[in-house]
Structure formats: C-alpha cells, structure tokens
Amino acid sequence: MQAIAMRKHGVQGGFTLIEMVASIVILAIALVGVANMVSLGTGNSANTLLQTRAMALGESYLDEIMGRRFDERSAASGFDPCYGLDPMDPERCSAVLGPDPGESSRDRYDDVDDYNGFEEGDGATLLEDVEGNEREGYENFHVAVAVRYAGDDEVLGLDETDAKLITVTITTRDQEEGWEFSVYRANY
C-alpha cells in the first residue's frame, strides 16, 4: 500500500540501472587510485629499508676503519713521524696505500690505508664484522673501500699527506649504483 501511495505522489524509491552502473564505475576508478598509492608506498618502504641497512653497514665499516692509526709509521697520538712529509719517503710515511707486508687479513690491519681496495660480500664472500663473525641479514650487500691522500682537498687546505679520505661504497645485487659514505682522517 505504501508503494502505491508513493507512486501517486510522484516519489520514486531505489536507484535506476544507469545510476547503479555510474556508481560502480566511480567506485572502481577510486579503488584503482587507492591501490596505486598503496603499491607505491609499499615499493618505497622496501627502498627505505635498504637505505637504512646500507647506512648502518657503512657506519659500522667507517667506525672500524677510523679506530685505526693514521699511517703505519704514525705514533698512536698522531703527528710524528708522518706530519707534512712526502708520502714517497718510505722511511717516514707509507708510500703505498693498502695492506702492508704481513697484513694479509683484515684482523691484522693497523692503519686506515690498509683498507684501500678492501672488498667483501655479494655472494662471493660473506660480510663479517671486525671480529670475523658473519653479519646476518646482509647476504645481498657488497662493500668496497677506497682510501687516498686528501690533505690538499679544498675543504681541508693541508699538505697532501696530512689527511686521507676514506670512502665506503655499499651496493646490493639488484643495483648498479650504491651508497657512498666518506670521512676524512687527519694525522692528529
């Protein structure tokens, strides 16, 4: 009886087929937009996780390296005998950056330039901490270290051999470019 009363007064109840189809299309478009935003957010969060892990790894290696002496022949307190001297004078400073004779393994490195050319990780070798323990969760990471004399860099304004630039590069298997972490070590 109520339906008859509604028709008499010109009031219609419910939706037409066109209204239903239009609302379904609008909801579908909105749902696709929301799904794309969620997908983009998920992809970025994975990248953020990699960046965070790479940063922790880079910081760990730099801490290890910075804990070493400036040079093979430097006193533990710095300065003599390698302050402001020619790096090619083997009696005073290390002439070659890299491990010295007898320092074939990382646990024997005693100065920062021993790490020059050091690489590990990315499947061939596992990443290890300073004590030789495997770093869990870093199986896809690769670490490469470069050390160079940098005292004459513009930002420092020292003699060439008075500072070294240490650069740790972290990459993963899935990327060609990695993250670089650099620090200067002065002979102090």
Side-chain angles (χ1 to χ4, degrees):
M1 220 197 259
Q2 190 178 14
I4 295 172
M6 290 174 71
R7 284 189 194 149
K8 284 183 183 177
H9 297 299
V11 178
Q12 296 181 2
F15 295 103
T16 66
L17 182 59
I18 293 174
E19 290 172 332
M20 290 293 286
V21 169
S23 62
I24 290 172
V25 168
I26 291 170
L27 283 173
I29 291 171
L31 201 58
V32 167
V34 169
N36 282 339
M37 288 190 322
V38 168
S39 173
L40 181 64
T42 304
N44 286 342
S45 68
N47 192 29
T48 302
L49 177 64
L50 282 177
Q51 290 174 352
T52 303
R53 292 179 68 83
M55 188 168 62
L57 191 60
E59 185 177 334
S60 174
Y61 277 88
L62 285 175
D63 286 346
E64 174 186 338
I65 296 167
M66 291 296 287
R68 305 291 191 252
R69 293 184 300 182
F70 175 77
D71 189 77
E72 182 71 24
R73 295 188 173 93
S74 290
S77 62
F79 294 109
D80 291 337
C82 207
Y83 188 73
L85 301 172
D86 181 4
M88 298 307 153
D89 181 0
E91 298 298 317
R92 304 298 300 216
C93 298
S94 295
V96 178
L97 299 177
D100 299 299
E103 298 175 340
S104 57
S105 61
R106 181 171 157 196
D107 63 334
R108 301 186 74 106
Y109 293 174
D110 59 356
D111 61 283
V112 297
D113 70 70
D114 289 344
Y115 288 86
N116 187 44
F118 176 80
E119 290 190 49
E120 72 177 357
D122 198 22
T125 59
L126 297 174
L127 295 180
E128 297 178 348
D129 62 19
V130 69
E131 296 172 349
N133 301 316
E134 179 184 334
R135 294 180 190 264
E136 292 186 27
Y138 289 96
E139 291 78 16
N140 292 327
F141 285 83
H142 178 260
V143 176
V145 180
V147 180
R148 69 172 177 87
Y149 281 109
D152 59 353
D153 282 5
E154 223 174 276
V155 294
L156 299 177
L158 303 170
D159 289 333
E160 180 182 6
T161 60
D162 290 341
K164 295 175 182 174
L165 177 64
I166 304 157
T167 303
V168 175
T169 304
I170 310 290
T171 56
T172 64
R173 287 184 193 168
D174 302 333
Q175 66 187 119
E176 291 179 21
E177 292 190 33
W179 299 274
E180 283 191 355
F181 304 92
S182 298
V183 66
Y184 287 100
R185 173 65 192 267
N187 187 27
Y188 56 86

mmCIF file of all heavy atoms in Angstrom, residues 60-61 64 68 103-110 115 118 120 126-132 135:
data_model
loop_
_atom_site.group_PDB
_atom_site.id
_atom_site.type_symbol
_atom_site.label_atom_id
_atom_site.label_comp_id
_atom_site.label_asym_id
_atom_site.label_seq_id
_atom_site.Cartn_x
_atom_site.Cartn_y
_atom_site.Cartn_z
ATOM 1 N N SER A 60 79.196 1.224 10.297
ATOM 2 C CA SER A 60 79.955 0.197 11.002
ATOM 3 C C SER A 60 81.370 0.066 10.441
ATOM 4 O O SER A 60 82.351 -0.003 11.191
ATOM 5 C CB SER A 60 79.219 -1.137 10.906
ATOM 6 O OG SER A 60 79.980 -2.170 11.459
ATOM 7 N N TYR A 61 81.485 0.027 9.111
ATOM 8 C CA TYR A 61 82.815 -0.083 8.498
ATOM 9 C C TYR A 61 83.644 1.171 8.758
ATOM 10 O O TYR A 61 84.838 1.081 9.044
ATOM 11 C CB TYR A 61 82.701 -0.353 6.990
ATOM 12 C CG TYR A 61 82.481 -1.815 6.686
ATOM 13 C CD1 TYR A 61 81.203 -2.357 6.653
ATOM 14 C CD2 TYR A 61 83.551 -2.659 6.460
ATOM 15 C CE1 TYR A 61 80.999 -3.696 6.390
ATOM 16 C CE2 TYR A 61 83.364 -4.004 6.199
ATOM 17 C CZ TYR A 61 82.080 -4.523 6.166
ATOM 18 O OH TYR A 61 81.887 -5.855 5.917
ATOM 19 N N GLU A 64 84.993 1.111 12.253
ATOM 20 C CA GLU A 64 86.110 0.165 12.351
ATOM 21 C C GLU A 64 87.397 0.786 11.796
ATOM 22 O O GLU A 64 88.456 0.729 12.425
ATOM 23 C CB GLU A 64 85.778 -1.106 11.574
ATOM 24 C CG GLU A 64 86.914 -2.091 11.489
ATOM 25 C CD GLU A 64 86.591 -3.284 10.588
ATOM 26 O OE1 GLU A 64 85.402 -3.584 10.357
ATOM 27 O OE2 GLU A 64 87.557 -3.915 10.121
ATOM 28 N N ARG A 68 91.577 2.902 13.616
ATOM 29 C CA ARG A 68 92.981 2.566 13.332
ATOM 30 C C ARG A 68 93.834 3.830 13.291
ATOM 31 O O ARG A 68 93.339 4.939 13.167
ATOM 32 C CB ARG A 68 93.095 1.838 11.981
ATOM 33 C CG ARG A 68 92.224 0.607 11.855
ATOM 34 C CD ARG A 68 92.719 -0.494 12.772
ATOM 35 N NE ARG A 68 92.057 -1.760 12.467
ATOM 36 C CZ ARG A 68 91.149 -2.335 13.229
ATOM 37 N NH1 ARG A 68 90.772 -1.768 14.340
ATOM 38 N NH2 ARG A 68 90.616 -3.482 12.892
ATOM 39 N N GLU A 103 100.196 -8.185 6.386
ATOM 40 C CA GLU A 103 98.824 -7.837 6.757
ATOM 41 C C GLU A 103 97.855 -8.376 5.705
ATOM 42 O O GLU A 103 97.160 -7.637 5.026
ATOM 43 C CB GLU A 103 98.671 -6.321 6.891
ATOM 44 C CG GLU A 103 99.534 -5.743 7.977
ATOM 45 C CD GLU A 103 99.471 -4.222 8.043
ATOM 46 O OE1 GLU A 103 99.076 -3.574 7.053
ATOM 47 O OE2 GLU A 103 99.853 -3.687 9.080
ATOM 48 N N SER A 104 97.836 -9.681 5.595
ATOM 49 C CA SER A 104 97.034 -10.310 4.544
ATOM 50 C C SER A 104 95.569 -10.463 4.913
ATOM 51 O O SER A 104 94.743 -10.743 4.065
ATOM 52 C CB SER A 104 97.613 -11.684 4.206
ATOM 53 O OG SER A 104 97.654 -12.477 5.386
ATOM 54 N N SER A 105 95.225 -10.282 6.182
ATOM 55 C CA SER A 105 93.837 -10.414 6.594
ATOM 56 C C SER A 105 93.406 -9.182 7.387
ATOM 57 O O SER A 105 94.225 -8.486 7.995
ATOM 58 C CB SER A 105 93.626 -11.678 7.421
ATOM 59 O OG SER A 105 94.405 -11.623 8.590
ATOM 60 N N ARG A 106 92.142 -8.947 7.375
ATOM 61 C CA ARG A 106 91.566 -7.753 7.982
ATOM 62 C C ARG A 106 91.877 -7.623 9.474
ATOM 63 O O ARG A 106 92.047 -6.506 9.969
ATOM 64 C CB ARG A 106 90.063 -7.815 7.749
ATOM 65 C CG ARG A 106 89.265 -6.684 8.261
ATOM 66 C CD ARG A 106 87.871 -6.844 7.722
ATOM 67 N NE ARG A 106 86.882 -6.165 8.509
ATOM 68 C CZ ARG A 106 85.604 -6.394 8.433
ATOM 69 N NH1 ARG A 106 85.153 -7.311 7.619
ATOM 70 N NH2 ARG A 106 84.758 -5.725 9.162
ATOM 71 N N ASP A 107 91.975 -8.703 10.181
ATOM 72 C CA ASP A 107 92.260 -8.621 11.612
ATOM 73 C C ASP A 107 93.686 -8.132 11.889
ATOM 74 O O ASP A 107 94.022 -7.806 13.017
ATOM 75 C CB ASP A 107 91.992 -9.959 12.303
ATOM 76 C CG ASP A 107 92.885 -11.078 11.802
ATOM 77 O OD1 ASP A 107 93.358 -11.011 10.651
ATOM 78 O OD2 ASP A 107 93.099 -12.042 12.566
ATOM 79 N N ARG A 108 94.519 -8.045 10.859
ATOM 80 C CA ARG A 108 95.895 -7.565 11.031
ATOM 81 C C ARG A 108 96.063 -6.109 10.582
ATOM 82 O O ARG A 108 97.147 -5.543 10.727
ATOM 83 C CB ARG A 108 96.847 -8.467 10.269
ATOM 84 C CG ARG A 108 96.753 -9.927 10.754
ATOM 85 C CD ARG A 108 97.794 -10.748 10.085
ATOM 86 N NE ARG A 108 99.077 -10.428 10.673
ATOM 87 C CZ ARG A 108 99.740 -11.211 11.518
ATOM 88 N NH1 ARG A 108 99.225 -12.354 11.880
ATOM 89 N NH2 ARG A 108 100.912 -10.860 11.987
ATOM 90 N N TYR A 109 94.998 -5.513 10.006
ATOM 91 C CA TYR A 109 95.083 -4.114 9.570
ATOM 92 C C TYR A 109 95.268 -3.226 10.788
ATOM 93 O O TYR A 109 94.528 -3.326 11.758
ATOM 94 C CB TYR A 109 93.819 -3.692 8.826
ATOM 95 C CG TYR A 109 93.598 -4.369 7.490
ATOM 96 C CD1 TYR A 109 92.425 -4.162 6.800
ATOM 97 C CD2 TYR A 109 94.546 -5.204 6.913
ATOM 98 C CE1 TYR A 109 92.195 -4.765 5.570
ATOM 99 C CE2 TYR A 109 94.328 -5.805 5.700
ATOM 100 C CZ TYR A 109 93.148 -5.583 5.022
ATOM 101 O OH TYR A 109 92.928 -6.177 3.815
ATOM 102 N N ASP A 110 96.291 -2.333 10.729
ATOM 103 C CA ASP A 110 96.549 -1.475 11.876
ATOM 104 C C ASP A 110 96.513 0.011 11.555
ATOM 105 O O ASP A 110 96.660 0.844 12.441
ATOM 106 C CB ASP A 110 97.879 -1.845 12.533
ATOM 107 C CG ASP A 110 99.055 -1.721 11.587
ATOM 108 O OD1 ASP A 110 98.841 -1.426 10.396
ATOM 109 O OD2 ASP A 110 100.190 -1.928 12.041
ATOM 110 N N TYR A 115 92.987 -0.585 4.463
ATOM 111 C CA TYR A 115 91.670 -0.946 3.924
ATOM 112 C C TYR A 115 91.504 -0.555 2.456
ATOM 113 O O TYR A 115 90.488 -0.894 1.846
ATOM 114 C CB TYR A 115 90.562 -0.291 4.753
ATOM 115 C CG TYR A 115 90.397 -0.912 6.109
ATOM 116 C CD1 TYR A 115 91.169 -0.492 7.187
ATOM 117 C CD2 TYR A 115 89.470 -1.927 6.329
ATOM 118 C CE1 TYR A 115 91.023 -1.060 8.438
ATOM 119 C CE2 TYR A 115 89.319 -2.498 7.577
ATOM 120 C CZ TYR A 115 90.098 -2.061 8.624
ATOM 121 O OH TYR A 115 89.946 -2.626 9.861
ATOM 122 N N PHE A 118 89.893 -2.916 -0.149
ATOM 123 C CA PHE A 118 89.193 -3.973 0.579
ATOM 124 C C PHE A 118 87.774 -4.139 0.024
ATOM 125 O O PHE A 118 87.070 -3.174 -0.207
ATOM 126 C CB PHE A 118 89.134 -3.615 2.065
ATOM 127 C CG PHE A 118 88.350 -4.587 2.894
ATOM 128 C CD1 PHE A 118 88.923 -5.780 3.291
ATOM 129 C CD2 PHE A 118 87.047 -4.321 3.262
ATOM 130 C CE1 PHE A 118 88.207 -6.685 4.062
ATOM 131 C CE2 PHE A 118 86.323 -5.211 4.029
ATOM 132 C CZ PHE A 118 86.903 -6.402 4.429
ATOM 133 N N GLU A 120 84.270 -7.039 0.185
ATOM 134 C CA GLU A 120 83.677 -8.294 0.623
ATOM 135 C C GLU A 120 82.166 -8.245 0.410
ATOM 136 O O GLU A 120 81.587 -7.187 0.269
ATOM 137 C CB GLU A 120 84.026 -8.631 2.075
ATOM 138 C CG GLU A 120 83.358 -7.802 3.117
ATOM 139 C CD GLU A 120 83.703 -8.252 4.546
ATOM 140 O OE1 GLU A 120 84.420 -9.255 4.722
ATOM 141 O OE2 GLU A 120 83.248 -7.585 5.475
ATOM 142 N N LEU A 126 81.034 -13.607 2.410
ATOM 143 C CA LEU A 126 80.025 -13.063 3.318
ATOM 144 C C LEU A 126 80.580 -11.845 4.041
ATOM 145 O O LEU A 126 81.785 -11.738 4.262
ATOM 146 C CB LEU A 126 79.607 -14.126 4.329
ATOM 147 C CG LEU A 126 78.940 -15.368 3.756
ATOM 148 C CD1 LEU A 126 78.713 -16.407 4.843
ATOM 149 C CD2 LEU A 126 77.633 -15.014 3.082
ATOM 150 N N LEU A 127 79.711 -10.941 4.400
ATOM 151 C CA LEU A 127 80.134 -9.783 5.179
ATOM 152 C C LEU A 127 80.400 -10.226 6.601
ATOM 153 O O LEU A 127 79.637 -10.995 7.180
ATOM 154 C CB LEU A 127 79.049 -8.709 5.170
ATOM 155 C CG LEU A 127 78.735 -8.069 3.826
ATOM 156 C CD1 LEU A 127 77.648 -7.031 3.986
ATOM 157 C CD2 LEU A 127 79.970 -7.441 3.219
ATOM 158 N N GLU A 128 81.489 -9.732 7.148
ATOM 159 C CA GLU A 128 81.864 -10.075 8.520
ATOM 160 C C GLU A 128 82.069 -8.806 9.314
ATOM 161 O O GLU A 128 82.406 -7.765 8.761
ATOM 162 C CB GLU A 128 83.158 -10.893 8.529
ATOM 163 C CG GLU A 128 83.038 -12.220 7.815
ATOM 164 C CD GLU A 128 84.363 -12.984 7.795
ATOM 165 O OE1 GLU A 128 85.407 -12.391 8.137
ATOM 166 O OE2 GLU A 128 84.339 -14.157 7.419
ATOM 167 N N ASP A 129 81.902 -8.911 10.626
ATOM 168 C CA ASP A 129 82.218 -7.775 11.478
ATOM 169 C C ASP A 129 83.714 -7.798 11.783
ATOM 170 O O ASP A 129 84.449 -8.662 11.307
ATOM 171 C CB ASP A 129 81.362 -7.761 12.753
ATOM 172 C CG ASP A 129 81.577 -8.979 13.641
ATOM 173 O OD1 ASP A 129 82.606 -9.671 13.500
ATOM 174 O OD2 ASP A 129 80.708 -9.230 14.491
ATOM 175 N N VAL A 130 84.172 -6.871 12.580
ATOM 176 C CA VAL A 130 85.601 -6.737 12.862
ATOM 177 C C VAL A 130 86.172 -7.971 13.564
ATOM 178 O O VAL A 130 87.355 -8.264 13.452
ATOM 179 C CB VAL A 130 85.875 -5.441 13.657
ATOM 180 C CG1 VAL A 130 85.313 -5.544 15.055
ATOM 181 C CG2 VAL A 130 87.354 -5.099 13.677
ATOM 182 N N GLU A 131 85.327 -8.722 14.243
ATOM 183 C CA GLU A 131 85.784 -9.916 14.951
ATOM 184 C C GLU A 131 85.698 -11.174 14.096
ATOM 185 O O GLU A 131 85.999 -12.259 14.574
ATOM 186 C CB GLU A 131 84.964 -10.086 16.235
ATOM 187 C CG GLU A 131 85.179 -8.940 17.210
ATOM 188 C CD GLU A 131 84.237 -8.999 18.390
ATOM 189 O OE1 GLU A 131 83.278 -9.799 18.381
ATOM 190 O OE2 GLU A 131 84.461 -8.225 19.337
ATOM 191 N N GLY A 132 85.265 -11.037 12.846
ATOM 192 C CA GLY A 132 85.188 -12.190 11.956
ATOM 193 C C GLY A 132 83.862 -12.927 11.985
ATOM 194 O O GLY A 132 83.725 -13.964 11.361
ATOM 195 N N ARG A 135 77.806 -11.266 9.354
ATOM 196 C CA ARG A 135 76.731 -10.286 9.565
ATOM 197 C C ARG A 135 75.451 -10.870 8.980
ATOM 198 O O ARG A 135 75.318 -10.976 7.766
ATOM 199 C CB ARG A 135 77.044 -8.968 8.872
ATOM 200 C CG ARG A 135 78.221 -8.241 9.442
ATOM 201 C CD ARG A 135 78.435 -6.939 8.666
ATOM 202 N NE ARG A 135 79.670 -6.313 9.005
ATOM 203 C CZ ARG A 135 79.803 -5.342 9.897
ATOM 204 N NH1 ARG A 135 78.758 -4.898 10.544
ATOM 205 N NH2 ARG A 135 80.982 -4.826 10.146
#
